[in-house]
Amino acid sequence: MLLDTASLYFRAFYGVPDSVRAPTGEPVNAVRGLLDMIARLATEFQPTEIVACWDDDWRPQWRVDLIPTYKTHRVAAEPPTDADPAIEVVPDLLTPQVPIIREALTALGIPIIGAAHHEADDVIGTLASQASIPVDVITGDRDLFQLVDDSRDVRVIYTGRGMARLELLTDATLTAKTGVTPVQYADFAAMRGDASDGLPGVAGVGEKTAATLLAEYGDLDGIVAAAADPEVKLGAAVRAKILAAADYLTVAPAVVNVVRDLALPDFDARIRPSTPEQVAELERLSNRWGLSSSMQRARDALAALA
């Protein structure tokens, strides 16, 4: 089970009231919400291993160099003068909870894995592509739909509609949902664009047109080649839109496609019984931050799988 960790704790932050506080008054709604998510996911899907994939670089410069608008709207407009200008806008009440989340994950025995100059998506892409066992990717990010692969037992469990309405995506369910295959999904996303990631897409080409073009021409290269060839039967309006977006379509695949070949550190993600030291740390964190029932649910869910 690969957790798109930031995607989950942002969802937890907005899904649990910020009135949920530690005994000393600090907000812990994201921490408790994430622990409850882990308990639910572990119980329902029963993984043998769990990895918390991390954004070591949430907006890699190499992606920005290709598409300057990439995640621009998430950058603080006027950061403090002593801060990195490429700072993601994180709610004030969430920022101090992130270190607590890291401590809790570590105490639970869940390794936190990131990679320099890369996003959690790339870590997930690498682990999912190289795993020797079935994989469940837990995310609210549609970009990771490209990883679905029945032949390798890779599924995406999509949280975009909330934990009460999880969507389990396989080859067939993804195609039924989007009209494209997993292999085509990154090209589909590049054409459709994504305002949340600052990807402009092809002006005037929405999901239906993108899916229709991919069904006809196979992939983005085939679509671009068809648009450039006057002998190919293609509507004049669509042809003009594809040609007008030629520069964007040249670089978009490199931005949208997740990296699948990162060199990651060695780690052991097997779910195992907690050591006495872990138990002591879990108790300390639970008491210090008032995590009580949420922490216990996570501990119980993992213990049942150990």
Side-chain angles (χ1 to χ4, degrees):
M1 179 171 282
L2 304 177
L3 306 179
D4 185 2
T5 317
S7 169
L8 297 180
Y9 69 62
F10 265 89
R11 179 165 296 279
F13 176 79
Y14 287 109
V16 178
D18 60 26
S19 57
V20 174
R21 302 269 171 154
T24 45
E26 299 94 337
V28 290
N29 54 324
V31 186
R32 291 188 59 167
L34 179 62
L35 290 171
D36 284 336
M37 287 179 178
I38 290 171
R40 156 83 187 279
L41 293 163
T43 299
E44 184 167 345
F45 299 105
Q46 300 195 327
T48 56
E49 305 181 20
I50 301 180
V51 182
C53 302
W54 205 264
D55 284 318
D56 275 13
D57 188 344
W58 69 276
R59 188 175 181 249
Q61 187 60 45
W62 60 270
R63 282 192 165 109
V64 177
D65 288 343
L66 292 169
I67 298 181
T69 57
Y70 185 63
K71 294 186 177 180
T72 299
H73 70 293
R74 303 190 197 179
V75 179
E78 296 182 3
T81 55
D82 61 345
D84 184 334
I87 295 176
E88 185 170 17
V89 180
V90 179
D92 289 344
L93 296 180
L94 175 56
T95 301
Q97 298 187 59
V98 176
I100 307 169
I101 288 170
R102 291 186 64 100
E103 288 185 293
L105 291 169
T106 300
L108 287 168
I110 299 174
I112 299 168
I113 304 299
H117 313 302
H118 288 84
E119 302 172 57
D121 287 12
D122 302 313
V123 176
I124 292 169
T126 296
L127 294 175
S129 299
Q130 298 180 6
S132 58
I133 59 175
V135 174
D136 282 341
V137 175
I138 315 295
T139 185
D141 184 351
R142 295 181 299 173
D143 287 346
L144 291 175
F145 291 178
Q146 64 189 273
L147 296 176
V148 171
D149 186 348
D150 284 2
S151 70
R152 302 192 65 256
D153 285 323
V154 178
R155 308 184 299 184
V156 166
I157 299 178
Y158 182 56
T159 64
R161 300 170 68 192
M163 291 298 291
R165 302 172 70 190
L166 294 175
E167 294 182 75
L168 198 160
L169 298 178
T170 61
D171 286 13
T173 55
L174 177 64
T175 300
K177 180 181 178 69
T178 66
V180 298
T181 66
V183 172
Q184 294 173 319
Y185 190 82
D187 287 349
F188 171 76
M191 284 192 288
R192 175 199 64 205
D194 189 338
S196 69
D197 280 341
L199 297 176
V202 177
V205 172
E207 293 190 352
K208 288 184 178 180
T209 301
T212 299
L213 289 170
L214 285 166
E216 178 71 20
Y217 301 106
D219 58 20
L220 191 55
D221 287 342
I223 293 168
V224 171
D229 184 350
E231 299 300 317
V232 174
K233 295 182 67 175
L234 183 65
V238 172
R239 185 189 303 274
K241 291 169 184 175
I242 297 297
L243 292 176
D247 290 345
Y248 164 76
L249 292 175
T250 298
V251 298
V255 175
V256 175
N257 280 282
V258 299
V259 178
R260 297 173 183 247
D261 59 356
L262 292 176
L264 298 174
D266 292 333
F267 60 89
D268 189 344
R270 291 174 298 168
I271 299 172
R272 292 166 292 175
S274 296
T275 65
E277 293 77 15
Q278 285 175 308
V279 170
E281 178 64 3
L282 288 166
E283 293 292 343
R284 184 191 72 79
L285 289 170
S286 186
N287 293 332
R288 167 65 182 86
W289 299 108
L291 304 177
S292 55
S293 56
S294 294
M295 178 67 86
Q296 193 60 52
R297 281 190 287 271
R299 292 174 63 179
D300 290 345
L302 295 177
L305 301 175

